[in-house]
């Protein structure tokens, strides 16, 4: 192990430990202050889920580490042909991260993490077996690898939405920027595993071990998730901290209190609501599909974020998929060399600091507003790409790529996870994250075959120039929502009461109901019940 690898390992572990300490020391103020035991349970919860997701990077981006001329020759394919594998897997990922996001909203983050880690473990091991014994060359390898990696990415979509689903329930809106930053550090540790550890394995051992080792590690973490992860604070015996969950708990209490004092109209569905309120241990963590679609698609801010995330997909995976090829072809680097390890270290450390600083700045400098941070990061990304285009020395190339990693991690963490939590709420977070990440992966899919053709025809300069339009468009789209902030608990409560009053007024106009005010809403009686 070279000195750069040792330094990288030390830096990654040091930053990871620092993030853990910050989370353990952080607390809310005044009446909202958490007990220390809650903070420890929450820490154990997110570190398990976070390291599980870091391992999914270990078992997903290993296909990117193999995107070099020597492995192309091993399979008997061109850069364009190998890029086709990435394109197909990204399309599968983009499709099923949306579908599975809806499922994760119903089954919760714990179950989803177990399913995703176990499934990805199995597929990585199967891929390793295939690589170990493959004999043929050419298009057949493209087809088989595309199938294996697509199924792997299908399972990984469960983990993608699960981490945000867990986070939204354990962290209040005012803490989510910090959470996103700390969690981003853990996730970026996956970059270290994927691009440096996998790179060392590839350079020194058989190609198959690039898939075997992540598979075994994912299997271990699927068991850890089973024993240590709780989907919500309520599942661990604590009161909720998310505003939507608090309002839901208050609504359950209201329904139960009303049952004791006022007859309930079964025709209006209140009886069913009360029956649900009696079951305090909920297996369903989501909401009805009709309400879910309304929350997602009737929010104009969310629709803008979808387009921005498409641009982020091209910018982010355009770097991650092709920077090994860049250093190998432009600077003739071997993946075991100190300079390549330094480049991968810059990608990892840049990603860690990008996620962390974006979260800190959005919470403490922008009043929990996320778009201003994403806007600034996209502008900087464009500048660093220009710097890399004109890099004549390997050091400029290394730091140029590392700084782009800082920028795209700022945007990825803030848009795909934090904004999804803020604007969709706890009940719809899985779907919102899935939709945003799915649209992002459509942009990512284009970085496979399309960017492969750009490489074949225009080389490294054409590849870098192709990244600029997407970052510029993403920044422009964020301008109208720069100062948009998610609703507070009080605003959500006012909206709920207004909706209830509108419903009661409609029923009263139809002559079927009489409203009875309560402290937080209304209970209703039909005409038949009032005659008794």
């Amino acid at each position: 192990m070279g000195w750069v690898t040792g330094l990288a390992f030390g830096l990654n572990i040091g930053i990871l430990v620092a993030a853990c300490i910050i989370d353990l020391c952080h607390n809310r103020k005044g009446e909202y202050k958490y007990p220390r035991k809650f903070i420890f349970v929450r820490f154990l919860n997110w570190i398990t889920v976070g390291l599980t997701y870091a391992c999914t990077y270990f078992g997903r981006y290993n296909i990117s580490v193999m995107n070099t001329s020597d492995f192309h020759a091993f399979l008997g394919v061109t850069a364009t042909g190998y890029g086709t594998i990435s394109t197909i897997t990204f399309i599968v990922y983009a499709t099923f991260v949306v579908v599975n996001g809806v499922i994760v909203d119903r089954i919760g983050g714990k179950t989803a993490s177990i399913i995703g880690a176990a499934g990805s473990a199995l597929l990585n091991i199967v891929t390793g077996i295939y690589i170990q014994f493959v004999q043929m060359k050419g298009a057949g390898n493209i087809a088989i690898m595309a199938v294996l990696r697509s199924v792997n990415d299908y399972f990984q979509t469960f983990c993608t939405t699960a981490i945000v689903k867990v986070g939204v329930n354990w962290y209040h809106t005012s803490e989510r920027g910090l959470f996103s930053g700390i969690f981003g550090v853990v996730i970026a540790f996956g970059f270290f595993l994927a691009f440096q550890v996998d790179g060392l394995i590839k350079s020194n051992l058989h190609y198959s071990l690039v898939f075997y080792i992540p598979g075994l590690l994912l299997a271990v973490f699927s068991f850890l998730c089973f024993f240590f992860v709780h989907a919500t604070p309520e599942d661990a015996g604590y009161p909720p901290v998310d505003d939507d969950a608090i309002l839901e708990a208050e609504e359950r209490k209201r329904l139960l209190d009303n049952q004791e004092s006022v007859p309930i109209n079964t025709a209006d569905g209140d009886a069913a609501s009360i029956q649900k309120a009696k079951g305090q241990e909920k297996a369903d963590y989501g909401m009805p599909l009709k309400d879910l679609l309304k929350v997602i698609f009737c929010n104009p801010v969310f629709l803008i974020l979808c387009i921005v995330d498409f641009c982020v997909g091209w910018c982010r995976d355009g770097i991650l998929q092709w920077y090994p090829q860049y250093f190998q072809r432009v600077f003739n680097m071997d993946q075991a060399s100190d300079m390549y390890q330094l480049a991968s270290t810059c990608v990892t450390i840049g990603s860690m600091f990008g996620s962390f600083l974006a979260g800190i700045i959005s919470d403490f400098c922008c009043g929990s507003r996320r778009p201003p941070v994403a806007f600034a990061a996209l502008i900087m990304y464009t500048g660093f790409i220009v710097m890399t285009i004109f890099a004549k020395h390997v050091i400029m190339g290394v730091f140029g790529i590392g700084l782009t990693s800082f920028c795209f991690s700022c945007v990825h963490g803030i848009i795909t996870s934090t904004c999804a939590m803020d604007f969709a709420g706890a009940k719809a977070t899985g779907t919102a994250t899935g939709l945003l990440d799915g649209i992002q992966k459509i942009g990512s899919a284009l970085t496979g075959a399309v960017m492969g053709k750009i490489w074949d025809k225009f080389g490294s300069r054409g590849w870098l120039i192709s990244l600029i339009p997407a970052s510029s468009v993403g920044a422009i789209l964020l301008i109208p929502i720069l100062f948009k902030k998610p609703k507070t608990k009080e605003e959500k409560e006012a909206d709920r009461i207004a909706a209830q009053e509108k419903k009661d007024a409609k029923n009263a106009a139809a002559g079927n109901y009489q409203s009875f005010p309560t402290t937080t809403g209304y209970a209703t009686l039909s005409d038949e019940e009032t005659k008794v």
Side-chain angles (χ1 to χ4, degrees):
M1 183 170 69
W3 69 270
V4 176
T5 305
L7 176 63
F9 183 78
L11 282 172
N12 277 276
I13 295 298
I15 295 171
L16 181 62
V17 170
C20 293
I21 292 172
I22 290 171
D23 185 73
L24 285 168
C25 294
H26 168 74
N27 205 336
R28 296 175 73 188
K29 305 296 183 182
E31 61 180 309
Y32 301 110
K33 192 172 183 178
Y34 302 128
R36 296 305 305 174
K37 187 176 180 181
F38 172 86
I39 292 175
F40 178 76
V41 171
R42 183 175 71 176
F43 165 76
L44 189 63
N45 209 62
W46 77 254
I47 194 67
T48 306
V49 176
L51 290 177
T52 301
Y53 193 61
C55 290
T56 66
Y57 275 42
F58 197 20
R60 186 197 314 168
Y61 284 104
N62 47 6
I63 196 70
S64 301
V65 170
M66 306 302 281
N67 189 8
T68 54
S69 301
D70 56 331
F71 191 63
H72 297 170
F74 177 80
L75 295 178
V77 301
T78 63
T80 302
Y82 193 86
T84 302
I85 299 172
S86 297
T87 295
I88 293 170
T89 56
F90 275 131
I91 291 172
V92 171
Y93 188 102
T95 302
F96 285 101
V97 77
V98 178
V99 175
N100 290 340
V102 179
I103 296 173
V104 170
D105 270 332
R106 307 310 293 261
I107 66 176
K110 175 178 179 173
T111 303
S113 293
I114 296 169
I115 293 171
S120 182
L122 176 62
L123 265 296
N124 270 283
I125 291 170
V126 171
T127 304
I129 293 171
Y130 176 75
I131 294 298
Q132 184 173 358
F133 297 105
V134 65
Q135 298 292 326
M136 64 179 174
K137 303 279 186 180
N141 283 326
I142 295 175
I144 293 171
M145 287 291 289
V147 170
L148 290 173
R149 303 315 294 172
S150 293
V151 179
N152 175 66
D153 281 16
Y154 164 78
F155 281 108
Q156 292 218 353
T157 59
F158 283 98
C159 292
T160 300
T161 49
I163 60 168
V164 186
K165 184 69 174 179
V166 170
V168 72
N169 284 293
W170 283 88
Y171 288 83
H172 186 262
T173 304
S174 61
E175 303 175 288
R176 288 175 189 162
L178 178 65
F179 161 74
S180 177
I182 295 173
F183 210 86
V185 169
V186 181
I187 293 170
F189 185 68
F191 285 148
F192 171 75
L193 296 175
F195 291 107
Q196 289 178 269
V197 177
D198 271 337
L200 288 171
I201 295 170
K202 174 180 177 290
S203 297
N204 296 285
L205 301 171
H206 193 272
Y207 291 150
S208 60
L209 288 169
V210 176
F211 301 93
Y212 280 139
I213 294 173
L216 293 173
L217 201 56
L218 279 162
V220 170
F221 272 95
S222 67
F223 284 101
L224 293 178
C225 285
F226 179 80
F227 290 108
F228 293 114
V229 174
H230 298 283
T232 67
E234 298 98 308
D235 290 348
Y238 294 96
V241 299
D242 173 68
D243 286 340
D244 290 333
I246 292 171
L247 290 174
E248 183 185 338
E250 292 173 354
E251 179 68 8
R252 285 200 302 269
K253 183 176 183 302
R254 181 187 69 82
L255 287 168
L256 291 172
D257 289 344
N258 285 345
Q259 183 192 29
E260 296 175 0
S261 58
V262 182
I264 299 299
N265 173 35
T266 56
D268 196 37
D270 280 348
S273 297
I274 288 174
Q275 190 63 31
K276 180 180 177 182
K278 289 180 178 179
Q280 296 298 314
E281 303 241 348
K282 301 173 291 172
D284 186 348
Y285 300 93
M287 62 172 63
L289 183 60
K290 180 181 177 181
D291 296 337
L292 184 67
L293 295 176
K294 183 179 179 181
V295 167
I296 299 297
F297 292 106
C298 293
N299 189 336
V301 173
F302 188 81
L303 298 179
I304 292 175
L305 295 177
C306 286
I307 304 173
V308 173
D309 231 4
F310 173 85
C311 299
V312 173
W314 176 267
C315 295
R316 181 175 186 256
D317 283 288
I319 295 291
L320 295 178
Q321 290 291 320
W322 293 99
Y323 91 83
Q325 178 89 331
Y326 169 71
F327 287 115
Q328 187 179 69
R329 284 174 60 167
V330 176
F331 298 107
N332 198 28
M333 281 188 195
D334 180 78
Q335 286 175 304
S337 68
D338 284 341
M339 196 55 67
Y340 179 84
Q341 291 299 310
L342 179 62
S344 294
T345 299
C346 287
V347 169
T348 304
I349 301 301
S351 179
M352 284 182 168
F353 279 104
S355 298
F356 185 70
L357 290 179
I360 295 291
I361 292 170
S362 70
D363 268 355
F364 297 103
C365 300
C366 299
S368 294
R369 293 178 177 88
R370 320 303 177 186
V373 180
F375 174 80
L378 285 169
I379 295 296
M380 290 191 297
Y381 177 94
T382 305
F384 293 136
I385 288 293
V386 172
M387 183 185 86
T388 309
I389 290 172
F390 294 101
K392 299 296 183 183
H393 193 276
V394 62
I395 290 295
M396 280 192 68
V398 165
F399 285 104
I401 294 297
L403 290 169
T404 62
S405 174
F406 172 89
C407 296
F408 68 61
S409 293
C410 283
V411 188
H412 175 71
I414 284 292
I415 298 294
T416 310
S417 59
T418 315
C419 282
M421 290 189 281
D422 288 348
F423 291 107
K427 290 287 189 176
T429 289
T431 303
T433 304
L435 185 60
L436 284 170
D437 206 33
I439 291 173
Q440 183 186 119
K441 288 304 181 286
I442 295 173
S444 300
L446 298 177
T447 67
V450 173
M451 209 164 267
K453 288 186 177 182
I454 293 173
W455 261 103
D456 288 339
K457 190 169 183 179
F458 301 106
S460 63
R461 180 156 292 193
W463 162 63
L464 289 166
I465 291 172
S466 72
L467 296 167
I468 294 175
S471 61
S472 303
V473 170
I476 292 169
L477 288 171
L478 285 170
I479 292 174
I481 60 169
L482 277 181
F483 302 104
K484 189 71 175 178
K485 190 176 182 180
K487 290 183 178 180
T488 63
K489 178 189 172 185
E490 291 73 20
E491 290 170 332
K492 291 177 180 179
E493 174 68 1
D495 288 346
R496 188 194 68 78
I497 293 175
Q500 183 66 49
E501 289 174 344
K502 183 177 179 182
K503 175 182 174 182
D504 286 345
K506 181 179 178 181
N507 291 331
N512 296 324
Y513 297 93
Q514 178 181 349
S515 296
F516 290 79
T518 68
T519 56
T520 57
Y522 293 89
T524 56
L525 296 177
S526 67
D527 286 342
E528 291 293 322
E529 289 168 321
T530 57
K531 294 176 182 177
V532 177

